[in-house]
Each structure stands twice: as structure tokens, then as C-alpha cells.
Amino acid sequence: MSTALLLSVAGLGLLDSINPSLFIAQFILLATPKPTVRVIAYILGGVLAYFVGGVLILSGFNLILEQLLTRIQPTVGYALVIVLGVVLFIFGLRVKATSQPDAAPVPLSLAPIHTFFLGIVLIGSEVTTALPYFAALERIAQAELGLLASVVVLGVYNVIFALPMFGFLGAFLVLRQRVLPYLERIGATLMRWSARLMKWASLLGGTALIAHGGLYFLTGTPLF
């Protein structure tokens, strides 16, 4: 395990941590009453998802998954796509997006366990654009350190990745009285618009998936 590898992985982790989506969600949570525990749970959820995903990839799980997917019949896969589309569509129908300019939707739950899973979901949604993450995994794999040492280096990546979010939380706790009024107003606006975006993204995405799988069964050619 070389110092150059650690510095390279740490740099990639720092680059990956500059993600607006992750900070926007944290910003919203900070605008809620007594946010410390739920924000920590949110950060830990995202870090755990990154860490477990990296361990699975480094241990060769991705190769096993690819082999399993090649054995699944196309009809089964497209049926699952339709099911996912229906779930997304129903979720979009259930999301309440207020049209009142001064009212922000209240999250269904602010329990730490739910913000923990929020971190996992956000990391999952961002994984396709997480180029520094996959670059770090590639460098770790190329170093041929063995699984245990690779996991340690991956842990370094995740610690660096989490530091800015913990730093943001620490700055908020120090400056809470000064910034809280602004956070409440900005957070309300973000929550209102994020609810609307989530609703329509779920409805449109669900419709597209249903059409994608449905056309396959009707014509033999999927939508995309």
C-alpha cells in the first residue's frame, strides 16, 4: 500500500464529495428542528452505501451479477421493468406537491432511520455519475493489494468523502443562530420544489418504464 495510492484515492474522494445533490438534501434537513442526529444518520447512510458497494465490486460481486443477469429471460426482465414503472407511477401519485407559494411540504418522517435510508437512496441515484468513485475503485483494484488492504483504502476514500458533509454540519452548529432564519426560508423553498420535481419525475419515469416494457410484449420492440 503506497502513499501515492492513498493520496490519489483521498483526492478522488474529496472531488467526489463536491456533489450539489447531497448538500441540497443536507441543507433541507438542517432547516428542520433538532437536525443533528438525522443529518448524521443521512451522512452515514450514504457513506455505508458507498462502502458496501465498493467492497462488493472489489470482491468480484459485479462479475457474479453479470453472469446471473445473462441467464434471466428477456420477458422476465421487461416484466420487472413494468412492475418498477407501476411502483414509480403510484409513488408519484402519492407525493403531495403544494401549489401554494408560501407553504412547504412536510416530510412524512424525519426519524433518523428514514434519513439514513435517504442517504442510501441518494447515493444510489448518483452512482451513474460518480466517476471519481469508479476511478478510485479501478486504482485500488489495479494495485492488487488483497481484499483486506483494499477495504482499508476504500475506507480512507469514504472518510474523505464524508468530511465536507460533517464539516458543513459542524459549521451549522457553530453558526446556527445566525444562519437558521435563512436556512428555514431557503429550506422551505427547496422542499417545495423538490416535492414537485419528485412527483413529476416519478410520474414521467414510471410512464416511460411501463411503455418500455409494454411495447416489448405488444410488438417485440421496446421503447428505448
Side-chain angles (χ1 to χ4, degrees):
M1 185 188 306
S2 66
T3 302
L5 175 63
L6 289 174
L7 291 175
S8 173
V9 169
L12 289 168
L14 185 60
L15 178 64
D16 196 14
S17 69
I18 308 172
N19 187 322
S21 298
L22 298 178
F23 281 103
I24 287 174
Q26 184 178 358
F27 198 77
I28 294 173
L29 292 175
L30 286 174
T32 62
K34 299 179 180 179
T36 305
V37 175
R38 66 177 62 99
V39 170
I40 291 175
Y42 160 74
I43 296 172
L44 293 179
V47 171
L48 180 64
Y50 246 2
F51 183 75
V52 172
V55 171
L56 290 176
I57 292 173
L58 291 173
S59 62
F61 178 80
N62 58 324
L63 298 178
I64 299 174
L65 182 61
E66 288 176 3
Q67 293 177 359
L68 289 175
L69 290 176
T70 57
R71 297 180 182 179
I72 296 177
Q73 296 296 323
T75 52
V76 176
Y78 284 107
L80 292 175
V81 167
I82 293 176
V83 171
L84 178 60
V86 171
V87 171
L88 274 176
F89 191 84
I90 293 174
F91 175 76
L93 291 176
R94 292 174 61 87
V95 173
K96 295 181 180 180
T98 178
S99 59
Q100 299 177 4
D102 296 326
V106 178
L108 295 178
S109 174
L110 291 173
I113 185 64
H114 295 130
T115 59
F116 177 83
F117 282 109
L118 173 63
I120 294 176
V121 170
L122 282 179
I123 283 294
S125 67
E126 295 288 327
V127 73
T128 55
T129 59
L131 297 180
Y133 177 67
F134 290 106
L137 291 178
E138 181 183 10
R139 294 189 181 185
I140 295 172
Q142 288 179 346
E144 299 181 350
L145 302 173
L147 184 58
L148 181 59
S150 296
V151 168
V152 172
V153 178
L154 179 63
V156 171
Y157 180 94
N158 281 271
V159 169
I160 298 299
F161 173 77
L163 281 179
M165 289 187 285
F166 278 114
F168 194 59
L169 173 60
F172 166 79
L173 294 176
V174 172
L175 303 172
R176 172 180 294 186
Q177 298 304 321
R178 297 181 183 179
V179 302
L180 188 56
Y182 302 100
L183 278 178
E184 290 175 344
R185 289 198 293 269
I186 297 173
T189 302
L190 289 173
M191 290 175 70
R192 181 169 64 251
W193 283 103
S194 65
R196 292 176 180 176
L197 291 174
M198 183 180 298
K199 180 181 183 67
W200 289 107
S202 299
L203 290 173
L204 294 174
T207 301
L209 291 178
I210 294 170
H212 179 64
L215 282 175
Y216 174 81
F217 284 104
L218 292 175
T219 66
T221 303
L223 179 63
F224 47 83

